[in-house]
Amino acid sequence: MTKLPFQILLFLLLSLISSTTAEIKTLTITSDSRPMILFEKFGFTHRGYVSVSVSSVSVMSSANAPNPDASRLGFFLLSEEALLQVLLEIQQNPHFCVLDSRYILNLFTFADLSPPPLSRFNHTYPVSSPNEYSLFFSNCAPETRVSMNVKTEIYNLERDDSKDYLSAGLTQLPSLYTFFSILYLVFLGYWIYVCYTNKRSVHRIHLLMSGLLLFKALNLICAAEDKHYVKVTGTPHGWDVLFYIFQFIRVVLLFTVIILIGTGWSFLKPFLQEREKKVLMIVIPLQVLANIASIVIGETGPFIKDWVTWNQLFLLVDIVCCCAIIFPIVWSIRSLRETSKTDGKAARNLAKLTLFRQFYIVVIGYLYFTRIVVFALRTIAAYKYQWVSNAAEETASLAFYLVMFYMFRPVEKNEYFILDEEDEEAAEIALRDEEFEL
């Protein structure tokens, strides 16, 4: 019993950082001894409903506890405000059962189940107090393992009494993703026009950049359709599969483009060095792993036993990839600085150094904003405004794409590479300074 309070505290704290989900889900719990299982987190309006159906329920106990109390196992809702009160109750009493808390919204316990061999229960509960709630299952019976099939259906009713299976703070996502997908399609059309009108300056990297825009647009289209069908029907109708496929291709292309631009491949040099190839060989397999983790996190939810591990794995892989893509840019800056001391082309080298230093700053800013600022917004924003973090992330991504594509656009006289003999002496002085050291 000494480990019980810590495990409960851990699961309650995880409910704070877990993403808000929805959908109609059918889950299978097999011989699970966890004291707390988080199923869903959902933002309710004043017309919210939660439906829980359990079947094939069996409770296995050890020889030390042959007859577990059925009222010690059950489902409940917990609001964000009540979470801190429940944590305090658990800290004050190590043997406290969450089902006894006056701060939870108790749905039902196993005492309400039909008698064996049926052992099932199905009921829909109204949630009239608007707030964000987490749906938990609690097992306060010591030394017991639970097996059951669980079907959850959580939704808000619209004015026309239609069901909205998206959380109150995410119901705007289909429109948001549709809007940004249109912007990227327009962006792609303009990029193709720029490449067509500057054929002589088009390099292979520009073709990869076109592919990146295309798959970003397709990814957003699938995200919009995915959220739309979840919102209306409670299931994604297969759009989630396309979403994960295009997301994987888009992320791999994004990291690849950043690495190749950072190395100067295609438009500065036609080949990659061994260390640059190694970065690509590390990042791409890691992105495969990150995509698998993303699918597990998105499609299973926090009820699986290894949910925390998958989240940690995804975070670790993302950090490693973000660090890896910085190295080629740093190598290019140092290489250009060394070259500038011997080739006698100070103005051109200064322009290239300026370009790569600006690109370095842009990449760092993009990674910082999308990994830290967006996460902070997701954490502190009220549940009704959770879409704001998604909008901020997409806006930052679009801004990053615009800046990156503008800096490395295919034009015959790129302002960064113009040779001006009058500035040669000033460039030599600037290169002797340490402003390009990282």
Side-chain angles (χ1 to χ4, degrees):
M1 292 294 292
T2 56
K3 294 182 180 180
L4 187 61
F6 172 75
Q7 292 175 334
I8 294 177
L9 287 170
L10 177 62
F11 276 97
L12 290 174
L13 289 172
L14 284 175
S15 71
L16 281 172
I17 61 174
S18 64
S19 58
T20 303
T21 57
E23 304 181 30
I24 301 172
K25 292 187 177 180
T26 302
L27 318 167
T28 300
I29 305 295
T30 305
S31 190
D32 200 317
S33 61
R34 285 177 291 172
M36 296 280 288
I37 301 176
L38 172 62
F39 281 90
E40 299 282 353
K41 189 177 180 183
F42 193 82
F44 291 95
T45 63
H46 65 285
R47 300 181 67 195
Y49 291 86
V50 53
S51 175
V52 183
S53 174
V54 296
S55 60
S56 303
V57 179
S58 66
V59 180
M60 294 161 286
S61 58
S62 66
N64 298 328
N67 297 309
D69 186 355
S71 65
R72 299 290 84 190
L73 302 97
F75 287 82
F76 66 92
L77 291 176
L78 181 64
S79 68
E80 294 296 299
E81 289 78 5
L83 175 60
L84 295 178
Q85 300 295 333
V86 173
L87 290 173
L88 184 61
E89 288 178 323
I90 295 173
Q91 288 178 332
Q92 291 175 345
N93 182 3
H95 303 288
F96 179 77
C97 179
V98 181
L99 294 173
D100 295 329
S101 175
R102 60 190 179 92
Y103 297 104
I104 69 169
L105 179 58
N106 209 324
L107 300 182
F108 67 93
T109 66
F110 279 11
D112 300 315
L113 269 61
S114 58
L118 295 177
S119 298
R120 63 176 61 188
F121 185 83
N122 183 11
H123 196 71
T124 300
Y125 303 87
V127 181
S128 56
S129 178
N131 208 332
E132 187 174 44
Y133 292 87
S134 298
L135 174 62
F136 282 97
F137 170 76
S138 177
N139 178 2
C140 294
E143 300 182 44
T144 59
R145 294 180 176 273
V146 178
S147 298
M148 58 182 168
N149 295 326
V150 183
K151 181 181 179 181
T152 60
E153 185 175 346
I154 308 177
Y155 56 87
N156 293 310
L157 286 183
E158 301 278 23
R159 293 181 179 178
D160 59 356
D161 289 335
S162 62
K163 295 179 179 179
D164 183 354
Y165 290 93
L166 284 182
S167 175
L170 301 179
T171 190
Q172 301 87 354
L173 287 187
S175 301
L176 178 71
Y177 289 143
T178 300
F179 172 72
F180 276 99
S181 67
I182 293 173
L183 290 181
Y184 276 100
L185 288 173
V186 173
F187 189 180
L188 174 60
Y190 180 74
W191 179 254
I192 293 174
Y193 168 76
V194 171
C195 291
Y196 180 78
T197 54
N198 297 273
K199 294 180 182 178
R200 295 181 179 179
S201 302
V202 172
H203 299 277
R204 285 173 291 174
I205 188 65
H206 296 126
L207 301 180
L208 276 179
M209 294 165 77
S210 301
L212 173 60
L213 284 181
L214 174 62
F215 282 103
K216 176 64 176 177
L218 291 174
N219 184 219
L220 285 170
I221 291 171
C222 292
E225 290 298 319
D226 178 16
K227 295 302 180 184
H228 168 73
Y229 277 101
V230 169
K231 175 185 173 74
V232 175
T233 67
T235 55
H237 290 263
W239 283 100
D240 54 338
V241 177
L242 290 174
F243 167 76
Y244 287 119
I245 291 173
F246 288 129
Q247 176 177 261
F248 168 67
I249 299 174
R250 188 264 304 173
V251 173
V252 169
L253 272 177
L254 175 61
F255 279 90
T256 302
V257 166
I258 292 175
I259 291 171
L260 292 178
I261 288 178
T263 62
W265 176 79
S266 184
F267 62 91
L268 287 184
K269 60 184 181 182
F271 58 88
L272 292 176
Q273 296 178 357
E274 281 301 316
R275 64 181 182 180
E276 295 163 351
K277 291 178 182 179
K278 288 179 181 178
V279 172
L280 278 174
M281 294 301 293
I282 292 172
V283 169
I284 293 177
L286 283 177
Q287 283 305 311
V288 174
L289 187 60
N291 194 64
I292 293 173
S294 176
I295 293 172
V296 172
I297 294 168
E299 291 302 302
T300 57
F303 81 95
I304 62 171
K305 292 182 179 180
D306 299 324
W307 183 73
V308 177
T309 303
W310 282 108
N311 273 276
Q312 292 173 337
L313 176 64
F314 179 78
L315 179 62
L316 175 63
V317 170
D318 191 50
I319 291 173
V320 172
C321 289
C322 290
C323 293
I325 63 176
I326 297 299
F327 285 108
I329 308 175
V330 175
W331 293 337
S332 292
I333 292 175
R334 290 178 177 175
S335 176
L336 284 169
R337 185 165 179 82
E338 291 299 319
T339 303
S340 66
K341 299 176 181 179
T342 58
D343 68 355
K345 298 178 180 179
R348 180 180 290 273
N349 289 322
L350 178 61
K352 292 177 182 178
L353 280 167
T354 302
L355 173 65
F356 277 91
R357 190 179 72 161
Q358 290 175 349
F359 183 57
Y360 173 83
I361 294 172
V362 168
V363 171
I364 292 294
Y366 169 71
L367 295 176
Y368 175 82
F369 189 90
T370 54
R371 269 63 182 179
I372 299 178
V373 177
V374 170
F375 176 79
L377 282 174
R378 223 169 252 142
T379 304
I380 66 176
Y383 77 97
K384 291 183 179 179
Y385 303 103
Q386 289 178 336
W387 62 271
V388 173
S389 63
N390 298 85
E393 184 175 12
E394 293 303 330
T395 302
S397 297
L398 180 60
F400 173 71
Y401 279 53
L402 287 170
V403 172
M404 179 173 67
F405 279 58
Y406 176 78
M407 292 173 69
F408 298 95
R409 65 196 185 281
V411 290
E412 292 187 12
K413 293 184 178 180
N414 193 312
E415 62 184 277
Y416 291 103
F417 301 148
I418 294 176
L419 280 175
D420 190 344
E421 297 299 334
E422 296 180 359
D423 296 332
E424 189 73 20
E425 184 176 346
E428 290 177 355
I429 296 173
L431 286 172
R432 284 196 294 269
D433 297 335
E434 297 299 320
E435 60 175 309
F436 293 104
E437 290 293 338
L438 296 176

